[in-house]
Amino acid sequence: MMESTGMEIDRTEEELYPIAILIDELKHEDLSFRLNAITNLPTIALALGEERTRSELIPFLDESIDDDDEILLSLAEKLGEFVNYIGGPSYAHILLRPLENLAATEEQVVRDKAKSINKITDVMSEESVEQYLIPCIARLSQGEWFTSRSSAAGLYANAYKKSSSETQQQLLAGYERLCEDETPMARRAAATHLVKLIPNAPEYLETFSIKCFKKLAHDDQDSVRLLAVEPFIAIGQILVEKKAWKNLSGKKELFGEIIKLCQDKSWRVKYMAADKFIKATSDIASFQKQLILVAERLLSDTEAEVRGAACTQIVGLLELVSKQEDSDIKQFLIPIKGLADDSIPHVRSALAKHITGLCSIFGRESTMGELLPIFISLLKDQDPEVRLNLISSLGKVTEGIETISHSLLPAIIELAEDKQWRVRLAIIEYVPLLAQQLGVDFFNDKLVTLCMSWLGDPVYSVREAATANLKKLIDVFGIGWAKETIIPKILATSNHPNYLYRMTTVFAFKAIAPSITAQVVQDLILPCLEALTNDPIPNIRFNVAKCMWELVEKPKQSDESSQIQESFKTLLHKLEEDLDQDVRFFASDSLSKIENWQSSKNMMPLENE
């Protein structure tokens, strides 16, 4: 036997080097070393090449799946993206074995990440799916521990799409067994993933999908029954698409199942049914009267969580009611009015968030007569979140907004001074909509003073929103209104003894810059900024420097623009000699931006060229 040359030995060692590094790091006591080894798997795979990655690295990793959960989580994630490192889709099945082992681990986050098997399934050929993936799913489905069976449930939908009709029948039978598994954890997984499988097997709706749904809906564990609502929605969507509701042999029985879930002894099941009520039932036209009665019971349920979830559905519920010729929409308001006085704040909060959507259904007169008292009651609620939710949703009102705004104005003005700053913030965001509806005269008379008072709010977020609000108001009422009403009031705050007011003056100029003209800057704002360059507070001076650049770039350009630029440059040169280094920095920065901006403008070709 010939002796190996030194070069051959070196080459062999070089080939083994990446694996040796990986082995050393995976055996290291320090978790960070082992995690680093997993992170560098793509680099090691590139060094080894596709063939050695398949024959050495993947088997080694499969044997090493006995480590900290963080390591396994990272490994499961990396293997899901490893197809290109082993030679492409034709070799994708090689990754199934280590991922199958990871899918059976005890830690759920690792099992969830190991469902990256589905990514691999998407690139596998139908022959490979039949030969390698189906046996993998079978092993997981028949595993001794519930962990593997739970993971198996998430693999059926993707495998089903790439299987032969005979194998599809086997998969459906296997999934049905998971819905009857002895452990609740596996049944929960089956209920969760049934939603993905139902659309893939529309031809087996009655023999598989509805059958599995009924089993889950009758489960003795409420944690399983509550998950049956989503599969019901998926079944309903297929029935609607196929226009098969009328021809469904067991439609009364199927309808009865969702009614049972809405009346379940467990509040958690009723909560899920209430939360998905409209999505689950809106297409069951022949049973709408019964559904309305069920909905009324959900709105009056003894459990606050159920009532709160039902509140999120009230718009859809009223649309259902409005389709019934012999129904009185106002009758349905009885439980809703009761919810406005509910003893639990989060129920009233959910109602406040959604009730404004009813205006389009009620129309102007009924909104004023029936809904407005509820709005006012919620606006005066003791809980700030209730008030906040109603204010935030007033933008949804489409019918009679002007009249409603007039009626709600006293309550809105009261809330503008609410002790909760988030409520004041919500009012500010609603003001531009209010301004559009009420008109300039009413706004000037009732609200302009209020808007200016927010500029001195003790909370920065409120002051910031107040300055942004000024720009929106100028966009609504125009620059002429701003020159006469808003800008003089902003200028007045520049002489306030409290430096926060003077700072807000500068912020207000920056906020309104895109909505004003260079003429306004020249005539009104420039003299104010010139005075503020001598302010004793350095923070104000450097914000003035920053503001000058904004007032050059953003306002609408006119003949006065070049004159303003030169005036600002003169002031910035002065601020470059300020005693404070921050003032000098921002002055130089703004000066540089203005000069660069001027250069770019001069280099632009004329339009007639």
Side-chain angles (χ1 to χ4, degrees), residues 359-432:
C359 295
S360 59
I361 301 172
F362 272 70
R364 183 184 296 268
E365 289 187 15
S366 294
T367 293
M368 295 303 300
E370 304 293 341
L371 296 181
L372 186 60
I374 302 177
F375 292 170
I376 294 174
S377 173
L378 293 171
L379 272 177
K380 294 180 178 179
D381 197 278
Q382 293 181 350
D383 190 278
E385 187 176 354
V386 177
R387 305 194 297 269
L388 181 63
N389 281 352
L390 185 69
I391 295 163
S392 301
S393 63
L394 283 174
K396 300 176 186 176
V397 178
T398 55
E399 291 289 336
I401 179 62
E402 184 177 351
T403 310
I404 290 174
S405 297
H406 277 278
S407 302
L408 295 179
L409 190 61
I412 289 172
I413 292 175
E414 184 180 341
L415 290 174
E417 299 175 352
D418 196 278
K419 62 181 180 180
Q420 295 288 337
W421 69 269
R422 292 184 187 277
V423 175
R424 301 197 300 274
L425 187 65
I427 288 289
I428 292 173
E429 292 172 351
Y430 175 63
V431 161

Side-chain angles (χ1 to χ4, degrees), residues 408-550:
L408 295 179
L409 190 61
I412 289 172
I413 292 175
E414 184 180 341
L415 290 174
E417 299 175 352
D418 196 278
K419 62 181 180 180
Q420 295 288 337
W421 69 269
R422 292 184 187 277
V423 175
R424 301 197 300 274
L425 187 65
I427 288 289
I428 292 173
E429 292 172 351
Y430 175 63
V431 161
L433 174 64
L434 200 62
Q436 282 182 311
Q437 302 301 327
L438 299 179
V440 64
D441 293 335
F442 189 93
F443 186 85
N444 288 344
D445 184 39
K446 301 289 186 181
L447 291 177
V448 71
T449 303
L450 186 64
C451 289
M452 297 309 300
S453 70
W454 285 320
L455 293 176
D457 196 277
V459 177
Y460 173 77
S461 295
V462 175
R463 297 197 303 273
E464 183 182 37
T467 59
N469 178 57
L470 296 179
K471 177 194 178 302
K472 295 175 184 176
L473 290 174
I474 294 173
D475 292 339
V476 172
F477 293 140
I479 189 64
W481 170 83
K483 289 166 64 176
E484 294 179 6
T485 309
I486 288 293
I487 295 178
K489 294 182 183 299
I490 297 175
L491 294 173
T493 62
S494 66
N495 297 317
H496 199 281
N498 188 326
Y499 85 96
L500 287 176
Y501 281 81
R502 304 198 301 276
M503 183 80 78
T504 304
T505 300
V506 181
F507 291 158
F509 289 152
K510 289 173 64 176
I512 67 174
S515 299
I516 58 177
T517 62
Q519 179 72 53
V520 173
V521 176
Q522 173 73 24
D523 296 343
L524 301 176
I525 297 178
L526 178 59
C528 179
L529 289 180
E530 185 174 4
L532 288 173
T533 57
N534 298 314
D535 195 279
I537 304 298
N539 278 23
I540 292 178
R541 298 199 301 276
F542 77 61
N543 273 290
V544 167
K546 292 163 69 175
C547 180
M548 289 180 187
W549 158 241
E550 302 277 347

Side-chain angles (χ1 to χ4, degrees), residues 99 127 206 242-243 253 357 432 454 507 514 579:
L99 284 170
E127 293 77 13
E206 292 194 58
K242 296 174 68 175
K243 299 180 180 179
E253 186 181 355
W454 285 320
F507 291 158
L579 296 176

Side-chain angles (χ1 to χ4, degrees), residues 107-359:
E107 183 56 49
Q108 182 175 345
V109 291
V110 177
R111 299 200 306 271
D112 289 343
K113 192 61 70 173
K115 288 173 188 169
S116 55
I117 288 176
N118 285 324
K119 289 184 181 179
I120 296 169
T121 303
D122 291 339
V123 301
M124 290 174 66
S125 64
E126 294 182 6
E127 293 77 13
S128 292
V129 168
E130 293 274 354
Q131 185 176 354
Y132 300 105
L133 179 62
I134 300 303
C136 170
I137 293 175
R139 290 191 296 270
L140 287 170
S141 299
Q142 298 165 13
E144 182 179 356
W145 297 99
F146 78 89
T147 53
S148 63
R149 301 197 296 276
S150 297
S151 294
L155 307 179
Y156 276 77
N158 283 44
Y160 186 90
K161 292 185 289 186
K162 288 197 166 186
S163 300
S164 63
S165 57
E166 183 180 350
T167 304
Q168 286 177 344
Q169 293 282 355
Q170 296 172 6
L171 287 170
L172 296 181
Y175 204 93
E176 194 172 335
R177 287 192 291 272
L178 289 178
C179 292
E180 302 172 320
D181 195 90
E182 61 182 6
T183 62
M185 292 76 77
R187 299 199 301 275
R188 283 203 298 269
T192 300
H193 295 288
L194 181 59
V195 179
K196 300 175 184 176
L197 186 55
I198 287 172
N200 292 343
E203 66 273 25
Y204 300 110
L205 199 65
E206 292 194 58
T207 57
F208 169 73
S209 299
I210 294 177
K211 188 177 178 182
C212 287
F213 160 72
K214 289 179 180 178
K215 289 179 180 178
L216 298 169
H218 291 172
D219 198 278
D220 59 357
Q221 295 285 323
D222 63 351
S223 61
V224 177
R225 295 198 303 277
L226 67 88
L227 294 171
V229 177
E230 290 285 359
F232 179 85
I233 294 171
I235 291 168
Q237 288 173 343
I238 292 177
L239 287 170
V240 170
E241 290 172 5
K242 296 174 68 175
K243 299 180 180 179
W245 262 118
K246 293 181 180 179
N247 301 325
L248 184 66
S249 58
K251 67 177 180 178
K252 285 188 177 180
E253 186 181 355
L254 181 61
F255 172 75
E257 296 297 343
I258 195 65
I259 295 300
K260 287 178 184 176
L261 291 176
C262 291
Q263 300 172 343
D264 197 273
K265 61 184 179 180
S266 167
W267 73 265
R268 295 201 299 165
V269 178
K270 287 188 291 185
Y271 171 86
M272 184 63 73
D275 189 52
K276 306 286 185 182
F277 189 82
I278 294 303
K279 195 173 181 181
T281 61
S282 60
D283 295 313
I284 314 179
S286 55
F287 296 107
Q288 283 179 352
K289 290 185 179 180
Q290 296 96 313
L291 289 171
I292 291 167
L293 294 175
V294 173
E296 288 180 356
R297 284 197 288 269
L298 289 173
L299 287 168
S300 305
D301 195 87
T302 55
E303 292 291 341
E305 288 79 2
V306 178
R307 298 197 301 275
C311 283
T312 66
Q313 307 291 298
I314 57 174
V315 176
L317 292 176
L318 261 293
E319 288 175 348
L320 275 181
V321 174
S322 65
K323 293 177 183 177
Q324 299 299 316
E325 294 180 2
D326 58 346
S327 67
D328 184 0
I329 294 179
K330 294 181 181 179
Q331 181 66 26
F332 202 76
L333 273 179
I334 295 174
I336 293 178
K337 288 178 179 178
L339 292 170
D341 297 320
D342 198 279
S343 60
I344 306 300
H346 84 76
V347 176
R348 304 195 303 273
S349 179
L351 177 66
K353 189 172 184 178
H354 295 277
I355 193 169
T356 53
L358 301 182
C359 295

